[in-house]
Amino acid sequence: MTPHTLLAAVAAACLTLPAAGAAVVKIDGSSTVYPISNAVAEEFEAARKNVNVEVAVSGTGGGFAKFCRGQTDVSNASRPISAKEMQACREAGVRYVEMPVGYDALTVVVNPRNDFVQSLTPAQLKRMWEPAAKGRVATWQQIDPSFPDVRLRLYGPGANSGTFDYFTEAIVGKARQARSDYIASEDDYLIVRGVKRNPGAIGYFGYAYYLENRRKLKAVPIDNGHGPVLPSPATVENGSYAPLSRPIFIYVAERALERSEVRAFVEHYLDNGARIVKRQNYVPLADAVYRSNRKNLDDRRYGTVFGGTEAVGARIEDMLRRPAQE
């Protein structure tokens, strides 16, 4: 399933009851990770007719809230679990195995009629999005004197989104700190439509959503001091698309792993994840990372190696060598 079918699939899932006697695996969280987990679910259900996998979307933060209340088995996340969420899970007695499943490239997009933006720097993006810009930075000319005096219209994910958390950490310098006078939505397709309709618009979301809508939008190269770089699998893998490359995750609850259907689903995810990640237009991790995930699953290595922070720019291979914290 492509990201284009996201809302229809979620709505249909909410109206579909599991088959009588079927076991159920419940997943919620990130809209970015949804296409991957949903594709895995479809394959798994085709092979295991007696299991229903329900994949919902409430954003990374919303997904963790349910996960730490014991309401879901697996949480999709476009950022690592935060310190606050770690505490909530700890207080509720919810232990978890953390598994990175791929890389994403946060993609900055503008209207295709925008002919003046050839690239942007992280500093310019910060000038647009930082809290101090509210009510003050209103035109493109305020970002760069060479840009025209065109009204700046900003579109981005809402506060429950892990994409919002990561972008603000990487660009503004602190997670969840951004001007409040932008058009926010948990639905990436509303961001697509908003940027498409407004010549002065700019927005951001995951790479797969850009690829699906690349005829409607223009991706902006990011110049982090070494020249403009567009998001792509190659620039994510070689580290040149910085600082907007990021790992994406699933988290699996300890209690859920006691159920054979959850264990089998997660094993199917790990065995087929690289292929499905690539098919869904994300970037697979190194084979060694998927093997490490499987070992962590077998050894029941609970907790997170990120310590409740984003760790912008960190290599997954290096992070996995750190001790896990709960």
Side-chain angles (χ1 to χ4, degrees), residues 200-214:
I202 186 169
Y204 66 92
F205 39 59
Y207 182 62
Y209 290 95
Y210 161 68
L211 283 184
E212 187 185 355
N213 295 280
R214 60 187 178 274

Side-chain angles (χ1 to χ4, degrees), residues 1 19 21 66 80 133 146 164 202 212 215 220 318 321:
M1 180 178 292
K66 294 179 182 180
S146 69
F164 170 79
I202 186 169
E212 187 185 355
R215 292 183 179 85
V220 178
D318 295 334
R321 298 189 184 100

Side-chain angles (χ1 to χ4, degrees), residues 133-248:
K134 178 181 177 181
R136 297 176 55 195
V137 178
T139 71
W140 280 95
Q141 198 168 68
Q142 290 174 278
I143 305 304
D144 189 313
S146 69
F147 292 162
D149 189 22
V150 172
R151 183 179 175 185
L152 182 65
R153 295 177 179 268
L154 293 96
Y155 294 81
N160 277 331
S161 169
T163 299
F164 170 79
D165 293 341
Y166 190 90
F167 182 87
T168 50
E169 176 75 26
I171 295 300
V172 178
K174 187 174 182 181
R176 307 185 66 78
Q177 296 298 304
R179 63 190 297 169
S180 59
D181 57 340
Y182 75 97
I183 300 171
S185 177
E186 304 297 343
D187 180 357
D188 292 318
Y189 294 107
L190 291 180
I191 300 173
V192 170
R193 289 195 291 272
V195 175
K196 178 187 174 185
R197 292 171 180 171
N198 293 288
I202 186 169
Y204 66 92
F205 39 59
Y207 182 62
Y209 290 95
Y210 161 68
L211 283 184
E212 187 185 355
N213 295 280
R214 60 187 178 274
R215 292 183 179 85
K216 305 174 185 176
L217 304 169
K218 174 183 171 182
V220 178
I222 304 303
D223 188 342
N224 198 28
H226 302 284
V229 178
L230 278 166
S232 71
T235 59
V236 170
E237 288 174 351
N238 66 26
S240 62
Y241 188 67
L244 294 180
S245 298
R246 59 169 177 173
I248 52 180

Side-chain angles (χ1 to χ4, degrees), residues 2-265:
T2 67
H4 184 69
T5 58
L6 170 60
L7 294 180
V10 173
C14 292
L15 296 173
T16 302
L17 294 176
V24 177
V25 179
K26 292 185 177 183
I27 306 172
D28 204 334
S30 167
S31 64
T32 301
V33 185
Y34 170 88
I36 303 169
S37 291
N38 194 64
V40 175
E42 289 181 338
E43 283 195 0
F44 184 73
E45 286 180 328
R48 296 283 293 267
K49 302 295 186 182
N50 62 332
V51 180
N52 289 88
V53 184
E54 300 175 354
V55 189
V57 175
S58 59
T60 296
F64 274 131
K66 294 179 182 180
F67 184 74
C68 292
R69 291 196 296 263
Q71 296 173 345
T72 57
D73 305 310
V74 178
S75 204
N76 292 333
S78 60
R79 55 155 173 81
I81 189 169
S82 70
K84 184 177 179 180
E85 291 156 351
M86 290 171 66
Q87 181 179 355
C89 277
R90 189 163 53 244
E91 290 175 351
V94 175
R95 306 182 79 192
Y96 48 85
V97 180
E98 175 183 70
M99 300 181 193
V101 295
Y103 282 115
D104 181 31
L106 288 191
T107 303
V108 177
V109 294
V110 294
N111 186 280
R113 288 173 286 175
N114 183 321
D115 59 0
F116 54 87
V117 172
Q118 303 305 316
S119 66
L120 290 169
T121 66
Q124 288 173 319
L125 289 171
K126 180 179 180 180
R127 199 174 306 150
M128 294 179 193
W129 287 96
E130 63 186 344
K134 178 181 177 181
R136 297 176 55 195
V137 178
T139 71
W140 280 95
Q141 198 168 68
Q142 290 174 278
I143 305 304
D144 189 313
S146 69
F147 292 162
D149 189 22
V150 172
R151 183 179 175 185
L152 182 65
R153 295 177 179 268
L154 293 96
Y155 294 81
N160 277 331
S161 169
T163 299
F164 170 79
D165 293 341
Y166 190 90
F167 182 87
T168 50
E169 176 75 26
I171 295 300
V172 178
K174 187 174 182 181
R176 307 185 66 78
Q177 296 298 304
R179 63 190 297 169
S180 59
D181 57 340
Y182 75 97
I183 300 171
S185 177
E186 304 297 343
D187 180 357
D188 292 318
Y189 294 107
L190 291 180
I191 300 173
V192 170
R193 289 195 291 272
V195 175
K196 178 187 174 185
R197 292 171 180 171
N198 293 288
I202 186 169
Y204 66 92
F205 39 59
Y207 182 62
Y209 290 95
Y210 161 68
L211 283 184
E212 187 185 355
N213 295 280
R214 60 187 178 274
R215 292 183 179 85
K216 305 174 185 176
L217 304 169
K218 174 183 171 182
V220 178
I222 304 303
D223 188 342
N224 198 28
H226 302 284
V229 178
L230 278 166
S232 71
T235 59
V236 170
E237 288 174 351
N238 66 26
S240 62
Y241 188 67
L244 294 180
S245 298
R246 59 169 177 173
I248 52 180
F249 305 84
I250 61 171
Y251 288 74
V252 187
E254 173 191 25
R255 292 171 185 167
L257 286 170
E258 300 299 329
R259 300 183 355 242
S260 61
E261 66 272 13
V262 176
R263 173 76 190 214
F265 172 76

